Structures are given as C-alpha cells and as structure tokens.
Amino acid sequence: MELNIANISEKKGAHLFFNFSEKLSPLVIGGEEIEFDGPILVEGTATNVGKGKILVEGKINTKIMVNCSRCLKPVCINMDTEFKKEFVKKSVLNEPSYHKLYEDEEIRTYEGDKLNLLNEVLENVILNIPMKALCSPDCRGICSICGCDLNVSECHCTSESIDPRLAELQKWFKE
Ligand SMILES: [Zn+2]
Ligand SMILES: [Zn+2]
C-alpha cells in the first residue's frame, strides 16, 4: 500500500488521488486471528501541506470475520471508516523544531518518494473492530450450563439451575 509522491513532493498544495484494493493476511490481536473477507479497499487523497509534510485523507472499506459474542459463530462485519493523518519526511524530522512539535505524538514518516499507508490503515481497522459483535440482534447465545447453541436447540438447564434460595421461595409461594 505504497504511494509514490514524487509528483507532489516539491510543491506545496499539490495533491494526488489514490486507491488500493489489496488482499491482506489475517490480523493477530491478543492471540486471536481476525480474517478479512475479501480485499480491503482504501482510497483518498494525499496533499503536500509544506515543510516535508503530506496530509493523507482516506476511506477504508473492508469486511472482517469476528466471532459472535453470544454464540461464538463467525460473523462477517462490514467496516467503513475514514482516517486523516500527516506523514512527515524522515530527514525533516531530525530538525529540532519538529522534535518539539511532535514530542508527545506518534508520528508517521516516509522516506524519499515512498509513503506507505499500511500501518495507518491497519491501525484504523483495529480501532474499529467492534468489541461486541452479534450474529443477529436476537441471538440467544450458548447455554452457560450445557454449552448447547440455543439458536439451534433447546435445553432444559434453566429450570434445574434456579438458585436454591429462589426455589425455596417459589415453594413457599405455592403453599
Ligand atoms: Zn450469535
Ligand atoms: Zn443447557
């Protein structure tokens, strides 16, 4: 996912359009693999904003496979997100004024005429993975006692697993 910025690198205000469609290998997050379902599409503009900085504004569209947080079945999630990031030329970065400016911030850099978007794109994908995905809004999940998928089969665990204190109370109400 590399931009060639040779045509805009000399002129402030110059910009270029880009679009990529790439197949990426699965992401590994916390030991878990997250697979892409199809290619990732990235498009946008890169603008020379002066002083060795290139502002990249892009849109990301992809589909990822995650597990339903209730029943653990794989779910395909459509992801549409946008990003905006300044990339600083590595040689310029060594100037003291830049050092101060970016001390606390994580900086993306590029070298020569090549600007690689991959890390920025992946970071945005990771940030947008939902913490809780559901295969359907009314997924019934997995029985916590016998482990059966409640979307597929019924079990009778709930009636037997009532809190004993509650069972006492129910008996009392019946009498
Ligand atoms: Zn589910
Ligand atoms: Zn059960």
Side-chain angles (χ1 to χ4, degrees), residues 143 145-148 150 155-157:
C143 171
I145 297 142
C146 71
C148 80
L150 296 171
C155 64
H156 303 283
C157 294

Side-chain angles (χ1 to χ4, degrees), residues 68 71 135 139 151:
C68 171
C71 72
C135 61
C139 170
N151 299 303

